Amino acid sequence: MVHKLAFIGFGVVGQGLAEILLEKKEALKQEEEFEAKIVAISDLMKGSIYQPDGLDIELVLKTLKETGNVEDYPQTAGLIKGWDSLMTIRESNADTIIEVSYTDVKTGQPAIDHCKTAFENGKNVVMTNKGPVALAYKELSEIADSHGVSWGFEGTVMSGTPALRMPIATLAGNDITEVRGILNGTTNYILTKMETDGVSYEEALMEAQALGYAEADPTSDVEGYDARYKIVILSNYVMKAPLTVEEVSCKGISSITLADIEEAKKEGKRWKLVAKARKEVAGVVASIAPEKVDLTDSLASISGATNAITYETDLLGSVTLSGAGAGKVETGFSLLIDLITIAREKHPVKL
C-alpha cells in the first residue's frame, strides 16, 4: 500500500523528511514494505501545490532551492496551486498529514486546528510541534480515537531519540514513578561551555547563537519554557498522568554565574537544567530548574547539545536514554518513525 502524505509547513524539518524519503525510498520499500507518496505541500511562505497522483519530490526540492516557492513547480495535468492549509487537509487525498507548520507554542495554533481538521476528516497526523501535545493532549487524543486515526509526535521531546516510543514499547508493565532529564540542548551546551572553557554565561550564549543552537531571542530555551512543554508531554503520554503547563514550576539558567560553576566543581558537582516529573500521592509534581548534580549522576556526563532522560521504574530501576535533541535529519527521522509505526499498525510486516 502506498501512503499518501500532505505536508503542512515545509521548512527545515519538512524538507528533512522529504529528503530522507527520497534517499531511502528503495530501502524502506524492501525492508519495511513502506512506500510513501507526497501529494501535497502547503506552506504559508513557500506556497501550496497538490497533485493527487503524487509530486516529483526531487523536482519540488530543486524548484524550492531555485525560487523559494513551490508554486513555481511545473504545471502538469491535475496539479492544483494555492490551497490554504485547512483546504489542503480537507480536500487532498492524503492519508496522513505531516504537521510541521510555524506554530505559536503559547496557544498551539494553528497546529491544534490542523490536527482537529485532519482527525475529523479521517486522516492521521504526525508532527513535531510541541504546543498541541502539551496544551491539548486529552482533547486531541479523544478526537483521533473517535475517528479511528493515529497521532504521532515522537519529535516533540528529544527529536528522533525515542524518549516517548521507547518507554511505551520496551518498559511496558513497569510503573514509571519519575521522569528526569536534560531536555534542552541549548542550555546544556551553555552550561558545558561555562564549565570547560571558563567563559561567562553571556559569552557561551553568543557562541550557542553563532552555532545555531540558540535563537536570536533565546528566552524559550534559557528560561526553561521549552523544557516545561516537554515534561508536560512526558507526564501525559509516558506516565499517563494529567499535567498542565501552568502546574510546572519553571526557572532557567540565565542567573548562573562562573562563581556558581566553580562552587559546584569544588563540591564534586555539575550544573544542569533538569526537568522532573514525579508521582506523589496527590498527583504528579513537576519542575524545571538548574540543579547541581553529583558527578556520579547519569545526567552529569551529558555534555554539549546532547539530551538525556532517566525513567525511574518499579521493576527495572533507573533507565537512561541519551541522544540528539535537535537537527534537520534527526527531527526528520522522528517523523519517519511515526509514519513507519502507523504503517506497521495498519499493515503488519510479514516475518
Side-chain angles (χ1 to χ4, degrees), residues 99 110-120 125 127 132 140 151:
E99 210 300 321
I112 287 177
D113 285 345
H114 291 159
C115 289
K116 287 181 179 178
T117 302
F119 297 153
E120 289 165 357
V125 173
M127 67 192 314
L140 291 175
W151 183 25

Side-chain angles (χ1 to χ4, degrees), residues 5-204:
L5 314 177
F7 283 66
I8 305 302
F10 203 60
V12 172
V13 174
Q15 291 174 51
L17 173 61
E19 289 168 3
I20 291 171
L21 291 173
L22 190 61
E23 178 186 345
K24 290 189 171 286
K25 180 179 179 180
E26 291 306 316
L28 289 169
K29 190 174 181 179
Q30 291 176 19
E31 296 169 16
E32 290 292 336
E33 297 179 16
F34 177 84
E35 190 174 356
K37 182 184 291 184
I38 299 173
V39 298
I41 295 169
S42 179
D43 185 284
L44 197 59
M45 304 300 292
K46 300 177 182 70
S48 175
I49 50 176
Y50 169 52
Q51 172 55 267
D53 295 330
L55 296 160
D56 179 336
I57 195 58
E58 193 167 3
L59 185 54
V60 168
L61 292 169
K62 181 174 182 289
T63 301
L64 190 60
K65 185 176 181 180
E66 290 174 351
T67 74
N69 193 324
V70 296
E71 291 186 19
D72 290 322
Y73 182 89
Q75 185 67 48
T76 54
L79 185 74
I80 297 172
K81 300 180 180 181
W83 281 359
D84 64 19
S85 57
L86 293 177
M87 184 171 289
T88 299
I89 294 168
R90 285 194 299 262
E91 302 298 331
S92 74
N93 65 345
D95 309 303
T96 299
I97 305 301
I98 314 296
E99 210 300 321
V100 284
S101 68
Y102 178 79
T103 289
D104 184 343
V105 74
K106 294 179 181 177
T107 64
Q109 293 293 6
I112 287 177
D113 285 345
H114 291 159
C115 289
K116 287 181 179 178
T117 302
F119 297 153
E120 289 165 357
N121 282 271
K123 297 176 181 181
N124 311 306
V125 173
V126 301
M127 67 192 314
T128 57
N129 276 318
K130 294 181 289 291
V133 194
L135 300 174
Y137 175 74
K138 185 174 185 295
E139 178 189 11
L140 291 175
S141 294
E142 289 174 351
I143 296 173
D145 288 345
S146 69
H147 287 84
V149 292
S150 300
W151 183 25
F153 42 84
E154 182 64 63
T156 59
V157 174
M158 280 172 59
S159 188
T161 304
L164 300 178
R165 181 167 287 101
M166 190 278 283
I168 294 295
T170 63
L171 298 180
N174 280 276
D175 179 19
I176 298 177
T177 57
E178 183 179 52
V179 171
R180 180 171 170 270
I182 297 168
L183 302 181
N184 182 271
T186 301
T187 51
N188 202 54
Y189 178 83
I190 290 170
L191 292 173
T192 299
K193 292 297 290 185
M194 290 176 71
E195 181 180 351
T196 58
D197 293 6
V199 298
S200 68
Y201 165 79
E202 290 77 14
E203 290 174 292

